[in-house]
Structure formats: C-alpha cells, structure tokens
Amino acid sequence: MNIQVDLTESDNILEGFIRGEIDAHTAPVLREKLENYQNHQGLKAELDLSDVNYMDSTGLGVFVAFYKSVNSNGGHVKLKGLSARLKRLFDITGLGDIMDIESVGKGGN
C-alpha cells in the first residue's frame, strides 16, 4: 500500500507524523527517513502513529532499530497515538514495557 512520513526537526526535537501502512514494502521508506536523525546526540523524538492503520513485524523492526540508535546516543523516543491493535503488537513482543508508548485510548489521568 502506501505510507507518508513527515518529519520536522528543530533544536534537537524531532516531531514525526506517519500515515498509512507499515509493512515489508513501505518500511524501507520509513527506515530511510528515520536514519537521517538516529545518530543525533540527545535527540528527543516524538512520532505520531495515529493515522497508521496497519503494521507488521517489519515495521516493528524499524522502530526498534531507531529506538536503540537514539537511546545509545543519549536520546529518547516516544510513540504516540497508537491504536489498540498497534499497541497490542508492541505489547505481545514485550516492547510495550521497554518503549515509551502512548496509545489512543482515552481515560482518566
């Protein structure tokens, strides 16, 4: 299918909006765009996945690699806006306990 990746970096803060499907065909596009930022020292990345309607293990691999690179350079990655389906994918693999993930679910503080 299709993917759209919009990334904006200012003062070592990366804001990203990702739309579409992340699978074996589209993951290389996402990986290539994220690789431009992953070695910045102390990068604070916040990636919004609220418009991602499908992701497979290839997509997970892209986020894990980005997370590891950013963390090893003293930075932080936050994924936000995950649907229940996407959040479950991270939880099943144990990544939900390791990564900073904010799901779409609304509720009390």
Side-chain angles (χ1 to χ4, degrees):
M1 276 305 207
N2 209 354
I3 188 169
Q4 181 179 350
V5 182
D6 297 317
L7 302 174
T8 306
E9 191 261 334
S10 178
D11 296 327
N12 223 25
I13 297 172
L14 177 67
E15 292 187 23
F17 297 94
I18 302 162
R19 296 168 185 85
E21 297 183 356
I22 306 171
D23 58 22
H25 294 92
T26 61
V29 172
L30 176 61
R31 179 181 298 114
E32 181 180 322
K33 292 196 177 213
L34 291 175
E35 281 177 349
N36 292 322
Y37 301 95
Q38 68 188 19
N39 293 319
H40 291 202
Q41 289 295 318
L43 180 72
K44 304 294 183 220
E46 190 167 294
L47 304 176
D48 187 332
L49 279 65
S50 57
D51 287 336
V52 173
N53 49 28
Y54 175 81
M55 182 168 64
D56 66 12
S57 61
T58 313
L60 276 178
V62 170
F63 287 113
V64 168
F66 182 67
Y67 170 84
K68 288 171 82 174
S69 292
V70 170
N71 274 3
S72 70
N73 287 302
H76 181 79
V77 175
K78 179 176 186 172
L79 303 179
K80 67 179 193 171
L82 276 71
S83 66
R85 174 181 270 172
L86 261 59
K87 177 72 167 80
R88 186 168 187 271
L89 188 59
F90 280 89
D91 289 343
I92 287 172
T93 60
L95 295 168
D97 295 331
I98 299 168
M99 299 177 78
D100 185 358
I101 297 175
E102 179 184 294
S103 59
V104 174
K106 298 184 174 44
N109 295 355

